[in-house]
Amino acid sequence: MIAIQILPRTDRGYKMNLSRNKYKLITMKNILIISFTFLVLLLTGIRCTKYPIDEDGLLITGRAECYVSNFELLNIDFQTVRSTSAVIDTIAQTIDVEVYWGTNLKKLWPQFSLVTDAKLDPKITDWVDFSNLTNPKQWTVISGNRKVKKTYTVNITVQAKP
Amino acid sequence: MLAIILFVSSCQEQEYSLPEANTHFQNDVIKRSIGPNVVGLNIEFVYAMALGLENGNILSAQVEASIPGAAGTFLEHRSYYTGPGGNDVGIDVANPSTTSGPVTEVVFTRDTCAAALRYYYIIPEEARGKSVSFTFSAEASTGETVSFKMGPYNIGKVEIKRDITLNDNDLRYFSIADMQVYDSTDAAAIPDKIDLVYLYRSISGINFNHALVAPGADPEFLPDIILPGGVDNPTKIRQTWQLRDEHLARLQYHIYIDDLDFEEIDLSSSSDYAINLRAESGAWVETADGNYRAFVYVNSVSNSGKTMKISVKRYTMN
């Protein structure tokens, strides 16, 4: 048996409004849930995207350039000891530096400027002893894609005393 | 409802009344000098004391140091205020201070209820490497006494000697142990004590100019110098720039070299010469026997006179 309740006009309108509002709420709720789920999935997707990182935590990029663009040599007071500009030969992979007469070569800090994304090996973490002029120090430049390696030799000469 | 309550309560007027000052006798101290405390220099304080205007006046003030100050220690008998031009204006409020052992005292002659007296403690030799503290106290006509403790302050081990002139004529042999410059005759008598040789050479093509060189350095750093017999200490020297120690330079930089700097500096791979020294440059020095470390500050140089004026801060190791 089906009981039909006939409501007054006003009540019917009220119930209809309620249903409509409820429908709106459900629709809004669904939209929010879907949006939130989509956002979570998107973030998860982003998070899971693997960018190549090397052993130093540096980004491996597509750059294959591999050279030293500038070189500086500082004393323990962080003053330059170069008497002239360093000559960088990217073909011969040499850096020729003349230092002032009287420079203490035992404790110097070399500074390399490298092409974008490249890195230096070994890293410079302390003062470097350049006093053995017959055995010049060497550093290897590694390109951004970590596939090209070029070893530079730093040749130090001391300004001649007249 | 809450908003209304807050609105109504926030609009309640409160009668303003002037805050009542504490009229009891009270005091306070600030330390004016900065930097490490070095024997021979002073530590400066300002001792302020006050009581209510109607209550009475100050009778006396005194400072007791845990180690008696050296000659020259005094408590100002003038109370200073800052004049319109920012200058200190002093008003006599007491007789000049008297010092008896560790206690320096002034007795007030002016009927005043407030004063700010400066205290200059000249650090004595006995305080070297120790700490010193101070008790400031004052007495008012009300019978009240107040006191304020300051410190302890550590006194450094460093020693200072300023404005020593070296010249390229002959007065070129400097001893860190004696903090004194000698000529070749005197240097020959104490060769073990000679740590630095001063010379000025204008050599085209290189920057030599004013130099401090270890007697034991390569002779190419001592051109035309004939050292007295036995003068050959391989002193370690590290040239440095922009280290203008306030005690030595007396300029505007307020940089201080302290005991800790001497203790921690590593001069093991330093050279044995400092060339091309200029005014406001300097050199860290370690004597060959390792007994002393020093910082030599170049106050001025004269190319024409071939002279160099230096000030030295020395630290005795061990």
Side-chain angles (χ1 to χ4, degrees), chain B residues 103-132:
Chain B
V103 179
T104 303
E105 185 181 29
V106 291
V107 176
F108 280 66
T109 53
R110 186 179 288 262
D111 182 4
T112 181
C113 65
L117 306 181
R118 294 178 184 178
Y119 175 60
Y120 299 87
Y121 176 78
I122 308 296
I123 302 169
E125 184 59 43
E126 303 84 71
R128 186 183 300 283
K130 298 176 186 168
S131 64
V132 61

Short mmCIF file of all heavy atoms in Angstrom, two decimals, chain B residues 103-132:
data_model
loop_
_atom_site.label_atom_id
_atom_site.label_comp_id
_atom_site.label_asym_id
_atom_site.label_seq_id
_atom_site.Cartn_x
_atom_site.Cartn_y
_atom_site.Cartn_z
N VAL B 103 89.67 50.04 47.50
CA VAL B 103 88.47 50.89 47.62
C VAL B 103 88.77 52.31 47.13
O VAL B 103 89.71 52.95 47.58
CB VAL B 103 87.96 50.93 49.07
CG1 VAL B 103 86.74 51.84 49.19
CG2 VAL B 103 87.63 49.52 49.55
N THR B 104 87.94 52.78 46.24
CA THR B 104 88.02 54.17 45.75
C THR B 104 86.72 54.85 46.16
O THR B 104 85.63 54.34 45.89
CB THR B 104 88.18 54.19 44.22
OG1 THR B 104 89.34 53.44 43.87
CG2 THR B 104 88.33 55.61 43.70
N GLU B 105 86.84 56.02 46.81
CA GLU B 105 85.65 56.64 47.40
C GLU B 105 85.59 58.13 47.09
O GLU B 105 86.61 58.80 46.98
CB GLU B 105 85.67 56.43 48.92
CG GLU B 105 84.42 56.94 49.61
CD GLU B 105 84.48 56.74 51.12
OE1 GLU B 105 85.59 56.75 51.70
OE2 GLU B 105 83.40 56.59 51.72
N VAL B 106 84.38 58.63 46.95
CA VAL B 106 84.17 60.08 46.91
C VAL B 106 83.17 60.46 48.00
O VAL B 106 82.22 59.71 48.27
CB VAL B 106 83.65 60.59 45.54
CG1 VAL B 106 84.70 60.46 44.46
CG2 VAL B 106 82.35 59.92 45.13
N VAL B 107 83.40 61.63 48.62
CA VAL B 107 82.47 62.14 49.62
C VAL B 107 81.79 63.36 49.01
O VAL B 107 82.47 64.28 48.53
CB VAL B 107 83.22 62.53 50.92
CG1 VAL B 107 82.25 63.17 51.92
CG2 VAL B 107 83.90 61.31 51.52
N PHE B 108 80.48 63.35 48.99
CA PHE B 108 79.74 64.41 48.31
C PHE B 108 79.84 65.74 49.07
O PHE B 108 79.79 65.77 50.29
CB PHE B 108 78.26 64.00 48.15
CG PHE B 108 78.04 63.08 46.98
CD1 PHE B 108 78.56 61.80 46.99
CD2 PHE B 108 77.34 63.50 45.87
CE1 PHE B 108 78.38 60.94 45.91
CE2 PHE B 108 77.14 62.65 44.79
CZ PHE B 108 77.67 61.39 44.80
N THR B 109 79.98 66.79 48.29
CA THR B 109 80.01 68.14 48.87
C THR B 109 78.79 68.94 48.44
O THR B 109 78.51 69.97 49.00
CB THR B 109 81.27 68.88 48.41
OG1 THR B 109 81.32 68.84 46.98
CG2 THR B 109 82.53 68.25 48.98
N ARG B 110 78.13 68.45 47.42
CA ARG B 110 76.94 69.17 46.92
C ARG B 110 75.68 68.45 47.41
O ARG B 110 75.64 67.23 47.47
CB ARG B 110 76.96 69.18 45.39
CG ARG B 110 75.85 70.03 44.78
CD ARG B 110 75.96 70.02 43.27
NE ARG B 110 77.09 70.80 42.80
CZ ARG B 110 77.01 72.04 42.35
NH1 ARG B 110 75.85 72.66 42.32
NH2 ARG B 110 78.09 72.67 41.93
N ASP B 111 74.68 69.24 47.77
CA ASP B 111 73.41 68.67 48.22
C ASP B 111 72.65 68.20 46.99
O ASP B 111 71.97 68.99 46.33
CB ASP B 111 72.62 69.74 48.99
CG ASP B 111 71.31 69.19 49.54
OD1 ASP B 111 71.06 67.97 49.38
OD2 ASP B 111 70.53 69.98 50.10
N THR B 112 72.80 66.96 46.69
CA THR B 112 72.13 66.43 45.49
C THR B 112 71.50 65.08 45.80
O THR B 112 72.00 64.33 46.65
CB THR B 112 73.12 66.29 44.32
OG1 THR B 112 72.43 65.79 43.18
CG2 THR B 112 74.28 65.35 44.64
N CYS B 113 70.41 64.83 45.11
CA CYS B 113 69.72 63.55 45.33
C CYS B 113 69.98 62.58 44.20
O CYS B 113 69.45 61.47 44.20
CB CYS B 113 68.22 63.77 45.51
SG CYS B 113 67.43 64.42 44.03
N ALA B 114 70.75 63.01 43.20
CA ALA B 114 71.03 62.11 42.06
C ALA B 114 72.40 62.43 41.48
O ALA B 114 72.80 63.60 41.44
CB ALA B 114 69.97 62.24 40.98
N ALA B 115 73.11 61.42 41.05
CA ALA B 115 74.43 61.63 40.43
C ALA B 115 74.78 60.42 39.58
O ALA B 115 74.28 59.32 39.82
CB ALA B 115 75.50 61.83 41.51
N ALA B 116 75.59 60.66 38.56
CA ALA B 116 76.12 59.56 37.72
C ALA B 116 77.62 59.76 37.64
O ALA B 116 78.10 60.68 36.97
CB ALA B 116 75.49 59.59 36.33
N LEU B 117 78.35 58.92 38.35
CA LEU B 117 79.81 59.09 38.46
C LEU B 117 80.52 58.03 37.62
O LEU B 117 80.13 56.86 37.63
CB LEU B 117 80.24 58.96 39.92
CG LEU B 117 79.54 59.85 40.93
CD1 LEU B 117 80.12 59.61 42.32
CD2 LEU B 117 79.70 61.32 40.55
N ARG B 118 81.55 58.45 36.94
CA ARG B 118 82.32 57.51 36.12
C ARG B 118 83.48 56.94 36.95
O ARG B 118 84.07 57.65 37.76
CB ARG B 118 82.87 58.22 34.88
CG ARG B 118 81.73 58.66 33.98
CD ARG B 118 82.18 59.40 32.77
NE ARG B 118 81.03 59.85 32.01
CZ ARG B 118 81.10 60.57 30.91
NH1 ARG B 118 82.28 60.93 30.43
NH2 ARG B 118 80.01 60.92 30.27
N TYR B 119 83.75 55.70 36.66
CA TYR B 119 84.82 55.01 37.39
C TYR B 119 85.80 54.43 36.38
O TYR B 119 85.40 53.72 35.45
CB TYR B 119 84.23 53.89 38.25
CG TYR B 119 85.25 53.03 38.96
CD1 TYR B 119 86.14 53.57 39.87
CD2 TYR B 119 85.30 51.65 38.72
CE1 TYR B 119 87.06 52.77 40.53
CE2 TYR B 119 86.22 50.84 39.38
CZ TYR B 119 87.11 51.41 40.28
OH TYR B 119 88.02 50.62 40.92
N TYR B 120 87.06 54.78 36.53
CA TYR B 120 88.10 54.31 35.63
C TYR B 120 89.04 53.39 36.42
O TYR B 120 89.73 53.86 37.33
CB TYR B 120 88.90 55.48 35.05
CG TYR B 120 88.06 56.44 34.25
CD1 TYR B 120 87.39 57.49 34.88
CD2 TYR B 120 87.93 56.31 32.87
CE1 TYR B 120 86.60 58.38 34.15
CE2 TYR B 120 87.15 57.18 32.14
CZ TYR B 120 86.49 58.22 32.78
OH TYR B 120 85.71 59.09 32.06
N TYR B 121 89.01 52.14 36.05
CA TYR B 121 89.86 51.16 36.74
C TYR B 121 91.03 50.84 35.83
O TYR B 121 90.85 50.31 34.73
CB TYR B 121 89.04 49.89 37.01
CG TYR B 121 89.80 48.75 37.62
CD1 TYR B 121 90.13 48.73 38.97
CD2 TYR B 121 90.20 47.66 36.83
CE1 TYR B 121 90.82 47.66 39.52
CE2 TYR B 121 90.89 46.59 37.38
CZ TYR B 121 91.20 46.61 38.73
OH TYR B 121 91.89 45.55 39.27
N ILE B 122 92.21 51.21 36.26
CA ILE B 122 93.41 50.91 35.47
C ILE B 122 93.84 49.49 35.83
O ILE B 122 94.11 49.19 37.00
CB ILE B 122 94.57 51.90 35.78
CG1 ILE B 122 94.08 53.36 35.63
CG2 ILE B 122 95.76 51.62 34.86
CD1 ILE B 122 93.66 53.77 34.25
N ILE B 123 93.86 48.63 34.82
CA ILE B 123 94.10 47.21 35.08
C ILE B 123 95.56 47.01 35.50
O ILE B 123 96.48 47.35 34.75
CB ILE B 123 93.76 46.37 33.83
CG1 ILE B 123 92.30 46.61 33.43
CG2 ILE B 123 94.01 44.89 34.09
CD1 ILE B 123 91.94 46.06 32.08
N PRO B 124 95.77 46.47 36.71
CA PRO B 124 97.13 46.32 37.21
C PRO B 124 97.79 45.03 36.70
O PRO B 124 97.11 44.11 36.23
CB PRO B 124 96.93 46.24 38.72
CG PRO B 124 95.61 45.57 38.85
CD PRO B 124 94.78 45.99 37.68
N GLU B 125 99.09 44.99 36.81
CA GLU B 125 99.86 43.83 36.39
C GLU B 125 99.40 42.57 37.15
O GLU B 125 99.38 41.47 36.59
CB GLU B 125 101.36 44.09 36.64
CG GLU B 125 102.29 43.00 36.17
CD GLU B 125 102.19 42.72 34.67
OE1 GLU B 125 102.11 43.67 33.89
OE2 GLU B 125 102.18 41.52 34.30
N GLU B 126 99.02 42.75 38.43
CA GLU B 126 98.61 41.60 39.25
C GLU B 126 97.37 40.91 38.68
O GLU B 126 97.09 39.75 39.00
CB GLU B 126 98.29 42.04 40.70
CG GLU B 126 99.41 42.75 41.42
CD GLU B 126 99.43 44.24 41.10
OE1 GLU B 126 98.55 44.97 41.55
OE2 GLU B 126 100.35 44.66 40.37
N ALA B 127 96.61 41.62 37.89
CA ALA B 127 95.36 41.05 37.38
C ALA B 127 95.56 40.27 36.09
O ALA B 127 94.61 39.64 35.60
CB ALA B 127 94.35 42.17 37.14
N ARG B 128 96.75 40.28 35.54
CA ARG B 128 96.98 39.60 34.26
C ARG B 128 96.58 38.12 34.32
O ARG B 128 97.01 37.39 35.22
CB ARG B 128 98.46 39.71 33.87
CG ARG B 128 98.76 39.16 32.48
CD ARG B 128 100.25 39.21 32.17
NE ARG B 128 100.78 40.57 32.21
CZ ARG B 128 100.62 41.48 31.25
NH1 ARG B 128 99.95 41.16 30.17
NH2 ARG B 128 101.14 42.68 31.37
N GLY B 129 95.74 37.73 33.40
CA GLY B 129 95.30 36.34 33.33
C GLY B 129 94.28 35.94 34.39
O GLY B 129 93.90 34.78 34.47
N LYS B 130 93.84 36.91 35.21
CA LYS B 130 92.85 36.61 36.25
C LYS B 130 91.54 37.29 35.89
O LYS B 130 91.40 37.87 34.81
CB LYS B 130 93.36 37.12 37.61
CG LYS B 130 94.65 36.46 38.06
CD LYS B 130 95.14 37.08 39.35
CE LYS B 130 96.51 36.52 39.75
NZ LYS B 130 97.12 37.31 40.83
N SER B 131 90.60 37.24 36.83
CA SER B 131 89.36 37.98 36.61
C SER B 131 89.18 38.95 37.77
O SER B 131 89.66 38.71 38.88
CB SER B 131 88.17 37.03 36.49
OG SER B 131 87.99 36.34 37.70
N VAL B 132 88.49 40.02 37.47
CA VAL B 132 88.29 41.05 38.48
C VAL B 132 86.81 41.43 38.51
O VAL B 132 86.15 41.45 37.48
CB VAL B 132 89.20 42.28 38.20
CG1 VAL B 132 88.88 42.91 36.86
CG2 VAL B 132 89.10 43.32 39.29
#
